[in-house]
Amino acid sequence: MKLIIKEYLSSLKERDELDAILPDLVSQLGLNVFSTPGRGTRQGGVDVGAFGSLEGKPEKVYLFTIKSGDLTRSAWNASSDQALRQSLDDILDVYIRTFLPVEHKDKKIVICICLGGDIHEAVRPSVEGYIENIVTNKDKYPNIEFETWNGDRIAQLILSSFLQENLMLLSAQSKLRKSLALLDTPEISYQHFKSLIHFLSQKTFSKESDRLTALRQMNICLWILYSWGREENNIESAYLSSEITVLYAWDIAKEYMLIKTKSAKAIQDVFRSILNVYLQICSAFVDKVILHIPNVHAISSAVRSSNKIDVNLKLFDLLGRIAIQGIWILYSISVEDQNSEKQLKLRQQYEALSNMLKKLIATNPILLLPLKDDQTIDISIAVTFLMHDDNNHEEIKLWLNEMFNRAVFSYRAHGDYPCIVNSYSELLDHPKRQDDDYRKEVTSGSILYPMIAFWAVRLGDIDLYENLKAFKQNELQHCNFQLWFLDETSEQHFYRNNEPHGAVLSNVGVILSPESFAAQILTECEANPYFKTMSAIKLNLWPLILIGCRHYRLPVPIDFNTNLL
Amino acid sequence: MCTIKEALIQAKNEDTFLQTVLDLSLGNPGHYQDVADGIVYLHNNNLIDAINEFYGLTKVIEKSKFLAVLHVFELALPHLKDTVKRVIACLKHLIKEGEQIVVGIISPPLIKYFVSESSRPNEAIDLIQFDSAEWYDFIAPCLMAGAVTDFQYFYNKTMQLKQHNNIEIRKRAIFVLGKINYPKNNIEVNASFNSLNESINEENDNNLLGNLVVAIFNLFLIDSSLEMKAINSINNALSKAGDFTLHAISQIFMQHAEGMSKEFLSMFRFHLSKVLAVNEMTINNIDYGITKLIKHNNVDEAIHFLEYLLLATDINIKVFDSAVYLLCNSHKEALNKIATLWLLRGEYKLCIALKYIMDSQGLENISLEVDPMVIGGCRGSQLIYLARKAVGYLFFKPVTAASILTSLLDYADTEIAKEIESLLFYPLLINYSGSVLQYLTDAVKVKTGIAKNAIQASINQLSSYLKNLQVEIEIKELWPELSQREAYSRHHHRNMSSLYKEAQKNSIFTSTTTQCVMLYGKKSINYIYALNGQSNRVEIPMQKYGVTIEIPRLESLDPCSIQYLLHICRAEKPIL
């Protein structure tokens, strides 16, 4: 286990990664953190500041300066501000004198050189010489000590504090190891990680500290999985695992999100940390594909399968993931100050990503026809994202029209029309038979068509609505057009998907006039209060609902398009 | 070793006569005549009673053996010396046992038998007139033989019988009118013709009308000046015809297609297009008739015939296997013409037939060219229409489709060439960047002007597409799950395996050889035994075999677009 953690530590970058876990680590070790890393310029060379007693020794002030990977000569003494020697000089000359809180002024100070890796032998004499010069100069630096926390030491501390046997059973450690070992078969790796997350969060938390520990364990495990995946150039398992981790973490942390106690704040901090890892993984994933999107068929080809089903499933999945990334940008825009510089920057990001999403559809025409009805979930997330900008509406209309036309064509030709078959092996045979009985059986229900009808009405595309209505009346009478709504049990089960929940509005009135159809849906939305009472909605972290829908393959509540945007 | 005659006498005594006839005859075609000669000698010298022995031939024995013995009797019959009554009584028994096919087999030798003694036809006609219902199967041979020995008497007899109350007798008399050997420049030909013509109006029986049209056609063969009259008469007869009459004219077509005038062919085409798909024998006759047209270089008429039948009936092109085989294997220009004509017409039945021809004859990568005579007068929009049809129906024969498109470029102006160029790229080159690219790379070397530029431009488009595709990009996250890859592999293997088994069922090779599964090694060790019992050790090295199939790229990347495009290309209506 220690080797696994060392490997993970050595791969971490300084910014947002090694310095992100250190506050949790020292808190878990019993220190009180008084300074955490912030973006931009650091405070006098200190990444993390903490006070307290470690391993039974007297209480001291610990000032951590963090360097990723191994300490090389250039990392020690380069001309940049990021060099370790410069950071140590800053701590001694600036931080202790200027930034150290007054209550810690006269206390013993330990300057901790924190490394993801190790000190190279070539540079060790220089470091040791530097330290000796300081500690022997008692006149100038009477209370200063040095410690080096290399990868080996941090791994040991993580193991003893986060993953120690009484906190995390051997079986859980085994799940983590398996998920790491099987990164190249992401679906299996993910299953092990999911089992680990389930294990960590299944107990009833009697104390807040237990809750905090569980969240920290989830956080560190997710970090380890991500860093290993990154090394393997395959973050698929990390992506899926991060979704489930953030959903479970929310379920654990949600009741503390409005509480202002110290422990509640710690819980909020760890949840935010998990959310950050998730967002980082999402971003890394999208960055991998985005470069190739403008080239026709490039992404479809990258699936590397001669089977059209593989390409179809992967492309719609990708569509959903990119859209989710966009949804987070939308969310960030909504929480930033109006017209602030940051919001403007986010708006640019929104525009760039929405252009990319549209391009993805244009360059990969397989996205013009879902094979499975549940791919409506990905389409819904994408439309929810794109709808935010009026400039996208024409393209959404074109997309939906094309999708509808192709669905009708395929349905009539007994081709690859959207069906409710979910098993992959059954999909391989779809359409199994070219007869009406089979076609009726696999199109006995749909969320796709009512969603298209809904957007058609929202976008004022009455022709599309009328065409769909005619199709329903003439050829899909057997099909139950339905919409899914959250119910009173959804808050309890949505984030973990541990029980079925929600309610379905059957026989949605696509046979009505567009106005009556819209009215029927709005009436149901108003009659159903449960969307608004979901914690993620109430506490304004609504993208979590979309993550849950994407991950657990639940239809996107139509309330998103009537309430939020 | 005993002679055939000795063996036959011994067999007669041992009551194994027919089995011995069979044993002596089988193995060598020449033996049939020897055995027949032996029987004739023994019968005519009263050493055996062959007529009596052949009474023993019954349908109890296998049909092939029945026919073999019957063949011996067929050879012997003209030379047997026996009474007419005994002979035809025996033949009647054989017809009863062997069904109607026997009538056709024994008629020619029976005529010879009658002719060999001038009294026999008279004897036979007396018998028949005495009890016509009993003997009507022998009316035709009797009259035909009689006309050889005493034309006028038997011609008059035939004309009388043509008016007989019994339709079975009338049928045969009508048949005979077309078959008897009229003396040169005989005026009775016209009389027969007129008489038959009258019968057309009077008769309604399907079989009889069949005999009528055959007889009329035969009279036309004797006197070609009757052509227009014959056409009119046959047209009249066929206007109330049924399956049998159609079958009759299909036989005429089969036998005489190569020499028929345009008018006759046109009439036959019209009437044969009423044939039902279930009447296989009739369709086979038509197939052989068309084959004759092709063999005699009347390819245009053969194509026209096929086209007409395909459009007018529900008959599948695959029943014309002989004609299709000949068209594809000896007349490349014919295939070009078919492709050009049928794609230009755009009719679903014709285009599907063209596709079938390409599939059934293993014409995988054959290149075709549009027929200059057909395409010469076409407008630009028609060229595009043809190109789109070629894409729609021959998409899975990409080189063929590409070859048609490139040949169209020779007739295209810049604007039309641009559209063909775009079809060459999408959907052909983009899907088949192996075989089609190779074909076009070769084609660009020999083409000039607009055609060359268009082909080069499509190749350039492909290069640009492939460059942007960056096939080397590695995004592991997009790869299908292992379980899905395995499921697909199993599914694919299962499909291939069942296709392989299905193909094996129709394989001539596997039906004529035994299968031997070898689990290891790359050579087979065999011991071959010579006649002297010595064995020779032979090592037979195994050969590798394999096939390469180019799967259309967009089949996995964008299946719906391709299906939709092909559907549209196929469904487009002809440009008027």
Side-chain angles (χ1 to χ4, degrees):
Chain A
M1 224 23 223
K2 191 173 162 187
L3 285 174
I4 288 173
I5 299 165
K6 266 187 82 175
E7 179 69 27
Y8 144 69
L9 289 168
S10 68
S11 75
L12 291 181
K13 296 169 197 152
E14 179 181 355
R15 285 281 126 204
D16 289 336
E17 294 189 2
L18 191 52
D19 58 5
I21 62 151
L22 203 65
D24 271 356
L25 178 62
V26 294
S27 292
Q28 193 68 22
L29 290 170
L31 301 184
N32 290 317
V33 177
F34 58 79
S35 169
T36 51
R39 277 276 179 192
T41 51
R42 64 175 114 171
Q43 288 188 318
V46 171
D47 290 301
V48 178
F51 174 74
S53 163
L54 275 181
E55 296 162 343
K57 292 178 189 166
E59 289 183 329
K60 294 172 187 170
V61 172
Y62 288 87
L63 302 178
F64 295 91
T65 183
I66 300 168
K67 292 285 165 242
S68 64
D70 289 343
L71 185 66
T72 59
R73 180 159 296 285
S74 63
W76 164 247
N77 201 12
S79 55
S80 86
D81 288 348
Q82 303 300 319
L84 179 59
R85 180 170 182 145
Q86 182 60 51
S87 296
L88 294 175
D89 285 345
D90 288 348
I91 292 170
L92 292 167
D93 299 341
V94 182
Y95 187 87
I96 294 173
R97 192 172 302 165
T98 315
F99 296 115
L100 189 65
V102 282
E103 64 269 29
H104 301 311
K105 282 280 185 196
D106 297 326
K107 290 172 184 160
K108 287 265 182 199
I109 295 169
V110 180
I111 298 173
C112 262
I113 300 169
C114 209
L115 305 168
D118 222 329
I119 300 174
H120 275 200
E121 283 310 312
V123 78
R124 187 179 293 281
S126 307
V127 178
E128 286 172 354
Y130 178 89
I131 291 171
E132 196 177 335
N133 280 341
I134 302 297
V135 294
T136 52
N137 190 352
K138 291 289 179 192
D139 294 338
K140 193 172 177 186
Y141 305 112
N143 293 325
I144 302 294
E145 295 173 25
F146 280 86
E147 279 186 23
T148 304
W149 288 18
N150 60 9
D152 195 66
R153 174 90 196 271
I154 301 172
Q156 183 57 48
L157 289 170
I158 288 173
L159 200 56
S160 60
S161 55
F162 284 144
L163 311 178
Q164 60 183 276
E165 209 170 309
N166 58 345
L167 288 175
M168 189 162 144
L169 289 174
L170 286 174
S171 64
Q173 290 187 19
S174 159
K175 290 179 206 302
L176 178 61
R177 280 197 297 272
K178 283 179 191 165
S179 67
L180 296 174
L182 294 165
L183 275 167
D184 264 341
T185 45
E187 69 279 14
I188 304 173
S189 167
Y190 160 70
Q191 287 303 331
H192 287 296
F193 198 86
K194 183 179 162 189
S195 159
L196 169 68
I197 294 298
H198 185 69
F199 172 81
L200 293 176
S201 55
Q202 70 183 348
K203 48 194 164 187
T204 34
F205 301 109
S206 52
K207 293 183 286 183
E208 285 171 357
S209 60
D210 291 345
R211 218 172 267 262
L212 191 60
T213 301
L215 286 170
R216 281 175 176 159
Q217 285 171 335
M218 287 157 74
N219 188 25
I220 195 83
C221 289
L222 182 61
W223 258 115
I224 292 172
L225 184 73
Y226 173 45
S227 67
W228 272 60
R230 200 166 50 183
E231 289 299 301
E232 291 292 313
N233 191 27
N234 189 346
I235 57 169
E236 178 64 8
S237 171
Y239 187 94
L240 297 171
S241 302
S242 69
E243 283 187 323
I244 201 162
T245 306
V246 86
L247 290 166
Y248 269 68
W250 176 257
D251 203 42
I252 296 171
K254 63 189 180 188
E255 58 194 87
Y256 292 85
M257 297 312 279
L258 291 178
I259 300 173
K260 293 198 160 60
T261 62
K262 193 178 166 192
S263 55
K265 192 176 172 305
I267 288 173
Q268 291 163 23
D269 286 346
V270 185
F271 173 75
R272 266 192 285 276
S273 178
I274 290 172
L275 188 60
N276 281 334
V277 184
Y278 161 78
L279 290 172
Q280 206 168 326
I281 293 171
C282 279
S283 178
F285 177 84
V286 172
D287 286 349
K288 282 185 95 166
V289 294
I290 216 155
L291 251 179
H292 308 290
I293 285 177
N295 298 329
V296 177
H297 297 149
I299 297 292
S300 299
S301 296
V303 176
R304 292 198 183 175
S305 171
S306 57
N307 177 9
K308 59 188 173 186
I309 294 166
D310 291 338
V311 181
N312 187 289
L313 297 182
K314 276 292 174 184
L315 264 285
F316 274 97
D317 183 65
L318 176 64
L319 178 88
R321 293 188 193 196
I322 295 178
I324 280 280
Q325 170 81 348
I327 289 289
W328 280 105
I329 296 174
L330 267 184
Y331 169 77
S332 304
I333 291 171
S334 72
V335 295
E336 286 299 330
D337 293 338
Q338 275 295 323
N339 297 325
S340 64
E341 196 181 330
K342 200 165 181 183
Q343 199 192 46
L344 289 174
K345 207 171 169 186
L346 284 164
R347 285 187 189 284
Q348 285 168 358
Q349 282 179 23
Y350 171 86
E351 196 182 336
L353 198 68
S354 64
N355 286 339
M356 216 35 102
L357 195 71
K358 288 183 287 183
K359 192 135 240 168
L360 178 78
I361 297 164
T363 55
N364 296 280
I366 203 158
L367 287 171
L368 298 175
L369 180 66
L371 187 59
K372 289 168 68 184
D373 191 70
D374 85 349
Q375 287 167 326
T376 310
I377 298 161
D378 305 298
I379 299 166
S380 301
I381 299 170
V383 174
T384 304
F385 164 59
L386 292 173
M387 283 284 272
H388 185 71
D389 185 351
D390 292 353
N391 293 326
N392 295 330
H393 288 190
E394 274 311 307
E395 275 138 316
I396 300 173
K397 274 195 224 175
L398 285 175
W399 184 31
L400 297 179
N401 270 286
E402 190 62 35
M403 196 182 291
F404 172 70
N405 289 339
R406 285 175 182 234
V408 173
F409 165 72
S410 301
Y411 182 84
R412 289 175 181 160
H414 291 274
D416 301 328
Y417 52 87
C419 65
I420 55 169
V421 171
N422 274 324
S423 145
Y424 179 82
S425 55
E426 281 182 47
L427 272 178
L428 288 173
D429 287 323
H430 174 70
K432 207 188 289 177
R433 298 190 309 273
Q434 308 256 311
D435 61 48
D436 282 352
D437 286 346
Y438 171 78
R439 199 168 53 174
K440 279 186 179 174
E441 184 188 321
V442 297
T443 54
S444 54
S446 175
I447 57 169
L448 173 67
Y449 298 114
M451 282 304 247
I452 295 179
F454 173 75
W455 289 315
V457 173
R458 287 247 11 211
L459 292 163
D461 190 345
I462 301 307
D463 284 348
L464 174 59
Y465 180 84
E466 291 297 339
N467 289 339
L468 213 151
K469 184 173 149 184
F471 184 50
K472 163 74 178 157
Q473 281 172 330
N474 299 328
E475 291 167 77
L476 284 182
Q477 282 186 353
H478 62 279
C479 179
N480 179 15
F481 280 18
Q482 55 199 279
L483 291 172
W484 182 79
F485 291 87
L486 296 156
D487 72 358
E488 68 280 7
T489 60
S490 293
E491 175 59 27
Q492 190 185 348
H493 301 300
F494 181 86
Y495 306 104
R496 296 184 191 221
N497 202 37
N498 46 4
E499 289 286 340
H501 60 95
V504 162
L505 175 66
S506 280
N507 301 315
V508 176
V510 178
I511 51 168
L512 305 172
S513 67
E515 297 77 22
S516 308
F517 167 72
Q520 182 193 22
I521 291 172
L522 287 174
T523 307
E524 180 55 34
C525 286
E526 279 162 20
N528 188 330
Y530 303 107
F531 176 76
K532 289 175 195 147
T533 57
M534 292 292 285
S535 56
I537 302 294
K538 279 196 301 189
L539 297 169
N540 195 27
L541 208 59
W542 51 269
L544 287 179
I545 302 289
L546 293 172
I547 298 177
C549 291
R550 205 204 81 78
H551 193 86
Y552 297 129
R553 307 315 290 162
L554 293 167
V556 173
I558 206 148
D559 313 65
F560 268 109
N561 285 283
T562 54
N563 288 6
L564 286 169
L565 300 175
Chain B
M1 278 178 71
C2 61
T3 64
I4 289 174
K5 289 169 192 158
E6 287 165 348
L8 288 170
I9 289 173
Q10 192 182 338
K12 179 222 152 198
N13 295 332
E14 291 171 2
D15 209 15
T16 56
F17 182 80
L18 293 179
Q19 184 59 48
T20 306
V21 167
L22 188 68
D23 294 344
L24 292 170
S25 308
L26 291 178
N28 187 334
H31 290 176
Y32 284 92
Q33 190 61 57
D34 295 342
V35 176
D37 291 346
I39 290 170
V40 170
Y41 176 84
L42 294 173
H43 179 86
N44 292 349
N45 289 291
N46 297 320
L47 296 171
I48 61 167
D49 183 351
I51 299 295
N52 195 40
E53 294 297 341
F54 278 99
Y55 261 106
L57 185 55
T58 65
K59 60 185 166 193
V60 176
I61 67 168
E62 282 174 34
K63 195 161 190 180
S64 61
K65 289 178 181 172
F66 182 96
L67 292 173
V69 175
L70 185 69
H71 184 51
V72 175
F73 188 59
E74 182 191 340
L75 296 170
L77 178 60
H79 313 289
L80 290 178
K81 289 186 175 153
D82 212 315
T83 64
V84 168
K85 188 169 184 181
R86 285 197 80 219
V87 168
I88 60 175
C90 178
L91 289 174
K92 185 173 171 57
H93 159 77
L94 293 177
I95 291 168
K96 187 181 157 205
E97 293 296 316
E99 298 171 2
Q100 209 54 29
I101 187 175
V102 176
V103 179
I105 293 171
I106 54 92
S107 285
L110 182 59
I111 293 170
K112 285 183 189 167
Y113 164 78
F114 285 143
V115 170
S116 64
E117 275 190 32
S118 60
S119 62
R120 281 178 182 164
N122 292 306
E123 223 177 298
I125 204 75
D126 290 344
L127 265 174
I128 291 163
Q129 287 188 124
F130 180 73
D131 186 357
S132 53
E134 175 76 10
W135 304 110
Y136 59 65
D137 274 332
F138 306 103
I139 291 173
C142 170
L143 293 173
M144 286 158 74
V148 174
T149 56
D150 184 351
F151 174 79
Q152 200 57 50
Y153 175 77
F154 279 94
Y155 175 75
N156 293 340
K157 191 57 75 184
T158 307
M159 292 298 266
Q160 272 176 26
L161 291 175
K162 186 176 156 290
Q163 306 302 325
H164 202 281
N165 291 332
N166 187 330
I167 189 171
E168 292 301 325
I169 294 172
R170 293 208 304 278
K171 266 188 216 170
R172 283 156 181 83
I174 285 168
F175 173 77
V176 169
L177 282 178
K179 280 286 184 182
I180 52 176
N181 284 325
Y182 291 89
K184 209 170 179 187
N185 301 324
N186 190 279
I187 56 162
E188 310 298 357
V189 173
N190 264 310
S192 299
F193 187 90
N194 292 334
S195 173
L196 290 171
N197 207 19
E198 283 167 18
S199 296
I200 290 171
N201 299 323
E202 294 157 7
E203 302 285 1
N204 289 306
D205 180 79
N206 193 17
N207 285 18
L208 190 145
L209 286 168
N211 285 0
L212 254 173
V213 295
V214 172
I216 288 172
F217 188 82
N218 284 341
L219 291 177
F220 151 71
L221 290 178
I222 295 166
D223 181 357
S224 59
S225 68
L226 291 171
E227 179 170 358
M228 289 319 292
K229 283 186 185 172
I231 289 172
N232 286 336
S233 300
I234 294 175
N235 248 331
N236 287 341
L238 289 172
S239 64
K240 49 183 178 180
D243 290 349
F244 186 83
T245 325
L246 286 179
H247 183 72
I249 65 161
S250 76
Q251 278 182 319
I252 298 172
F253 178 63
M254 174 183 74
Q255 289 161 1
H256 303 285
E258 73 275 21
M260 279 184 183
S261 64
K262 277 193 179 307
E263 290 75 16
F264 252 117
L265 284 172
S266 166
M267 191 256 296
F268 272 64
R269 200 166 50 231
F270 173 75
H271 290 291
L272 286 175
S273 69
K274 295 172 192 160
V275 70
L276 299 176
V278 289
N279 294 333
E280 286 178 24
M281 296 289 284
T282 310
I283 293 167
N284 282 342
N285 288 340
I286 300 170
D287 182 28
Y288 296 136
I290 297 172
T291 308
K292 272 192 173 172
L293 288 174
I294 301 165
K295 274 184 183 163
H296 289 83
N297 288 322
N298 199 351
V299 173
D300 287 355
E301 193 55 55
I303 295 172
H304 197 179
F305 226 102
L306 278 174
E307 184 178 312
Y308 200 88
L309 286 168
L310 290 171
L311 288 175
T313 66
D314 290 331
I315 299 173
N316 193 308
I317 182 80
K318 66 181 168 192
V319 298
F320 301 111
D321 49 351
S322 302
V324 165
Y325 176 82
L326 204 60
L327 274 174
C328 297
N329 293 286
S330 57
H331 290 78
K332 174 82 185 292
E333 296 76 19
L335 209 49
N336 286 339
K337 184 162 239 169
I338 288 181
T340 316
L341 279 169
W342 291 3
L343 291 172
L344 201 54
R345 286 199 65 163
E347 294 282 351
Y348 176 77
K349 284 180 177 177
L350 296 180
C351 295
I352 283 292
L354 174 66
K355 187 171 171 295
Y356 171 80
I357 291 174
M358 308 302 291
D359 286 339
S360 66
Q361 299 302 314
L363 304 171
E364 253 341 290
N365 283 316
I366 187 170
S367 67
L368 296 180
E369 289 177 13
V370 287
D371 187 292
M373 296 299 287
V374 180
I375 214 72
C378 288
R379 297 188 305 277
S381 56
Q382 287 176 299
L383 301 187
I384 298 295
Y385 177 76
L386 194 154
R388 288 174 67 81
K389 288 288 169 194
V391 166
Y393 286 99
L394 299 175
F395 177 73
F396 293 101
K397 300 266 179 279
V399 169
T400 309
S403 66
I404 292 175
L405 266 60
T406 49
S407 72
L408 276 171
L409 284 169
D410 294 335
Y411 305 88
D413 58 22
T414 318
E415 195 183 333
I416 300 298
K418 196 80 194 155
E419 295 209 35
I420 295 174
E421 170 200 319
S422 116
L423 281 171
L424 274 175
F425 171 66
Y426 184 93
L428 293 179
L429 266 172
I430 200 171
N431 276 294
Y432 301 99
S433 49
S435 56
V436 174
L437 178 62
Q438 183 58 55
Y439 176 81
L440 292 180
T441 309
D442 293 341
V444 83
K445 291 174 194 159
V446 294
K447 293 278 183 184
T448 55
I450 290 175
K452 186 185 181 80
N453 293 341
I455 297 171
Q456 189 57 57
S458 67
I459 294 173
N460 293 345
Q461 276 190 73
L462 179 73
S463 307
S464 162
Y465 168 78
L466 291 177
K467 194 177 160 196
N468 287 332
L469 201 59
Q470 295 176 312
V471 283
E472 75 278 6
I473 59 173
E474 184 179 279
I475 305 173
K476 289 182 181 174
E477 291 83 351
L478 291 180
W479 295 356
E481 293 175 7
L482 179 65
S483 59
Q484 293 176 340
R485 291 200 296 264
E486 286 173 349
Y488 177 59
S489 171
R490 280 196 299 276
H491 176 264
H492 186 67
H493 183 260
R494 219 169 28 239
N495 282 352
M496 284 295 130
S497 185
S498 65
L499 284 174
Y500 182 66
K501 280 182 188 154
E502 199 58 38
Q504 270 191 326
K505 277 185 202 167
N506 302 322
S507 163
I508 298 168
F509 187 70
T510 50
S511 65
T512 55
T513 57
T514 53
Q515 203 176 26
C516 173
V517 177
M518 286 179 281
L519 302 175
Y520 306 98
K522 57 175 187 170
K523 278 187 285 190
S524 156
I525 301 165
N526 292 10
Y527 283 87
I528 296 173
Y529 293 88
L531 288 175
N532 60 9
Q534 271 197 331
S535 65
N536 292 318
R537 185 178 182 276
V538 178
E539 286 187 3
I540 304 171
M542 290 192 215
Q543 304 295 323
K544 286 182 183 172
Y545 76 96
V547 285
T548 307
I549 303 168
E550 195 176 7
I551 308 277
R553 173 178 281 113
L554 301 190
E555 180 66 23
S556 59
L557 302 185
D558 184 15
C560 190
S561 298
I562 280 296
Q563 283 160 13
Y564 190 68
L565 175 70
L566 298 186
H567 182 81
I568 293 294
C569 286
R570 288 173 187 174
E572 278 171 355
K573 294 288 173 203
I575 296 160
L576 301 171

